[in-house]
């Protein structure tokens, strides 16, 4: 009882005992993380858990020790200005440690996700870097605001100034912000990716070569780059020929003469498609009779190419192969013909007179 009374009377000794207890607890937690959790994480195939333990190890240990210091300081009053400065300084140090850890973990997660998205063509290099930096700045600003609140700094004037500055920036950069958020919506909706073929509502068709901060660029088959602001393309009708799967169906119109063996024509066209290595076997090619035209019976060969960029080339190859196959099988490809009758009124009159 006397020892407890002495401990209560000696605040400094009580504080040292509290700090010692928390130090032992922090050291025990350090050994647990280092010898147990690291060993378990090293046996997994995922590398992410090893890095998470590495980044969280130091903040956790120092947080336990920092709580011990705060507990010790709360035992009794301190003389001014230490009563205010020391707890806030400890909280600030802990906050900085955690902000650093969160930024490192955030960079790790962003690199893992957005880098894979970029490799798959979902996002361009510049917008990738912009998103990464913007999100990092958001984390830092949130941490700084928390730090200012720890020191009981009035944030109202700061928020008011930031609001006025934000309105001015928004009005000055209205189009730029519209394009930026248009690019974000394209990324989030997964409308198209780099390397895919799209058709704009204005009729341009080409390969997406870049999804940037301000605009999207497509390259047409004439090797012409078309640049479209993201704010416009986000509100336009887009046909993605490469989605949901990369293959693309082509239609090859073919006409044969009346009187041709239609079953034979169908077999020849299917054989032509089957002989082409760039034509997908599944779904299977098919032939459809479309119309009885003025001079021909019109068929259409429907098949799928592996890549939309091969559309024009494979239509060319299939038409050439069909022409040769029809010639071998004696299938006539008609062309318009007209019989012209010439009437000579003067010759007829002379013949009648004679």
């Amino acid at each position: 009882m006397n020892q407890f009374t002495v401990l209560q009377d000696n605040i400094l000794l009580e504080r040292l005992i509290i700090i010692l207890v928390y130090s032992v607890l922090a050291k025990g937690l350090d050994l647990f993380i280092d010898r147990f959790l690291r060993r378990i994480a090293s046996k997994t195939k995922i590398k992410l858990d090893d890095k998470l333990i590495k980044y969280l190890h130091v903040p956790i240990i120092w947080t336990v020790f920092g709580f011990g210091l705060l507990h010790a300081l709360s035992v009794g009053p301190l003389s001014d200005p230490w009563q205010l400065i020391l707890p806030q300084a400890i909280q600030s140090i802990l906050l900085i440690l955690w902000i650093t850890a969160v930024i490192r973990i955030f960079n790790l997660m962003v690199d893992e996700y957005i880098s894979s998205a970029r490799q798959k063509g979902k996002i361009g290099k510049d917008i990738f870097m912009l998103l990464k930096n913007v999100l990092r700045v958001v984390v830092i600003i949130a941490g700084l605001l928390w730090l200012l609140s720890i020191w009981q700094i009035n944030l109202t004037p700061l928020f008011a100034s930031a609001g006025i500055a934000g309105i001015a920036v928004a009005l000055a950069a209205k189009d730029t912000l519209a394009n930026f958020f248009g690019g974000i919506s394209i990324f989030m909706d997964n409308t198209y990716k780099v390397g895919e073929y799209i058709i704009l509502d204005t009729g341009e068709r080409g390969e997406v070569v870049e999804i940037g901060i301000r605009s999207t660029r497509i390259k047409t088959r004439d090797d012409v780059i078309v640049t479209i602001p993201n704010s416009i393309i986000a509100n336009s009708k887009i046909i993605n020929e490469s989605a949901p799967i990369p293959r693309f169906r082509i239609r090859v119109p073919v006409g044969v003469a009346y009187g041709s063996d239609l079953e034979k024509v169908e077999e020849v066209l299917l054989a032509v498609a089957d002989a082409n290595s760039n034509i997908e076997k599944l779904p299977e090619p098919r032939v459809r009779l479309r119309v009885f035209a003025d001079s021909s019976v019109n068929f259409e060969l429907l098949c799928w190419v592996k890549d939309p960029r091969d559309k024009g080339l494979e239509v060319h190859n299939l038409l050439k192969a069909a022409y040769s196959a029809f010639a071998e099988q004696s299938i006539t490809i008609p062309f318009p013909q007209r019989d012209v009758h010439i009437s000579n009124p003067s010759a007829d009159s002379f013949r009648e007179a004679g």
Side-chain angles (χ1 to χ4, degrees), residues 20-297:
L20 179 61
V21 171
Y22 275 91
S23 299
V24 172
L25 181 61
K27 184 59 180 178
L29 191 58
D30 178 35
L31 294 176
F32 175 76
I33 294 174
D34 198 38
R35 298 185 179 181
F36 183 72
L37 291 183
R38 283 185 186 274
R39 186 177 301 173
I40 293 177
S42 63
K43 294 180 180 180
T44 62
K45 297 180 180 180
I46 304 173
K47 299 298 181 183
L48 184 62
D49 53 358
D50 299 87
K51 293 182 179 180
L52 285 176
I53 293 175
K54 177 183 176 181
Y55 295 155
L56 294 175
H57 187 181
V58 173
I60 290 174
I61 302 306
W62 281 103
T63 299
V64 174
F65 183 73
F67 282 167
L69 294 177
L70 292 173
H71 188 182
L73 292 175
S74 66
V75 170
L78 297 172
S79 59
D80 291 332
W82 306 112
Q83 179 69 28
L84 182 63
I85 292 177
L86 285 180
Q88 291 176 341
I90 294 171
Q91 293 176 32
S92 300
I93 293 172
L94 294 179
L95 178 61
I96 291 172
L97 283 174
W98 278 103
I99 288 176
T100 304
V102 168
I103 289 175
R104 296 177 71 183
I105 294 172
F106 169 77
N107 289 338
L108 174 65
M109 302 297 290
V110 168
D111 289 341
E112 288 287 334
Y113 176 73
I114 302 188
S115 294
S116 63
R118 183 186 167 198
Q119 290 173 0
K120 295 176 181 178
K122 294 182 180 179
I123 190 168
K125 179 180 178 181
D126 51 356
I127 198 170
F128 162 74
M129 295 303 299
L130 179 66
L131 284 175
K132 181 177 178 180
N133 292 331
V134 166
L135 294 175
R136 185 187 301 170
V137 168
V138 169
V139 173
I140 294 174
I141 291 176
L144 290 176
L145 293 175
W146 194 351
L147 185 63
L148 292 175
S149 66
I150 289 176
W151 290 93
Q152 299 179 1
I153 297 175
N154 188 8
L155 301 179
T156 303
L158 180 62
F159 286 137
S161 301
I164 296 172
I167 293 173
V169 171
L171 291 175
K174 180 180 64 174
D175 294 337
T176 301
L177 290 175
N179 290 326
F180 171 72
F181 286 109
I184 297 297
S185 68
I186 292 170
F187 168 63
M188 297 301 294
D189 292 342
N190 198 20
T191 307
Y192 50 79
K193 303 184 292 247
V194 174
E196 293 186 338
Y197 267 77
I198 63 173
I199 300 177
L200 306 178
D201 57 358
T202 54
E204 288 94 344
R205 174 183 181 268
E207 177 187 4
V208 178
V209 295
E210 184 179 0
I211 305 174
I213 300 170
R214 193 191 67 83
S215 61
T216 295
R217 297 182 179 181
I218 66 171
K219 184 171 73 171
T220 68
R221 298 301 293 169
D222 297 327
D223 288 337
V224 175
I225 296 294
V226 179
T227 302
I228 311 101
N230 288 333
S231 60
I232 294 176
I233 203 169
N235 296 300
S236 302
K237 176 183 176 182
I238 304 296
I239 299 175
N240 191 339
E241 295 183 337
S242 302
I245 48 180
R247 65 171 182 252
F248 181 75
R249 188 165 79 164
I250 58 176
R251 302 170 181 267
V252 183
V254 177
V256 297
Y258 280 97
S260 301
D261 187 342
L262 301 186
E263 296 295 334
K264 186 177 181 180
V265 171
E266 186 173 348
E267 292 175 3
V268 170
L269 289 175
L270 290 175
V272 166
D274 188 62
N276 190 319
S277 60
N278 291 325
I279 300 300
E280 293 278 8
K281 304 306 178 185
L282 290 174
E284 296 180 352
R286 63 194 70 172
V287 177
R288 294 291 182 263
L289 175 61
R290 292 304 187 196
V291 67
F292 295 113
D294 292 339
S295 303
S296 62
V297 179

Side-chain angles (χ1 to χ4, degrees), residues 269-336:
L269 289 175
L270 290 175
V272 166
D274 188 62
N276 190 319
S277 60
N278 291 325
I279 300 300
E280 293 278 8
K281 304 306 178 185
L282 290 174
E284 296 180 352
R286 63 194 70 172
V287 177
R288 294 291 182 263
L289 175 61
R290 292 304 187 196
V291 67
F292 295 113
D294 292 339
S295 303
S296 62
V297 179
N298 291 346
F299 285 86
E300 196 170 51
L301 173 61
L302 307 174
C303 51
W304 284 258
V305 292
K306 298 177 180 178
D307 195 323
R309 76 187 69 197
D310 297 330
K311 172 184 175 182
L313 176 62
E314 295 312 320
V315 170
H316 164 78
N317 292 333
L318 290 171
L319 285 173
K320 284 176 58 179
Y323 183 85
S324 301
F326 284 175
E328 293 175 1
Q329 298 296 326
S330 300
I331 298 175
T332 302
I333 300 177
F335 54 89

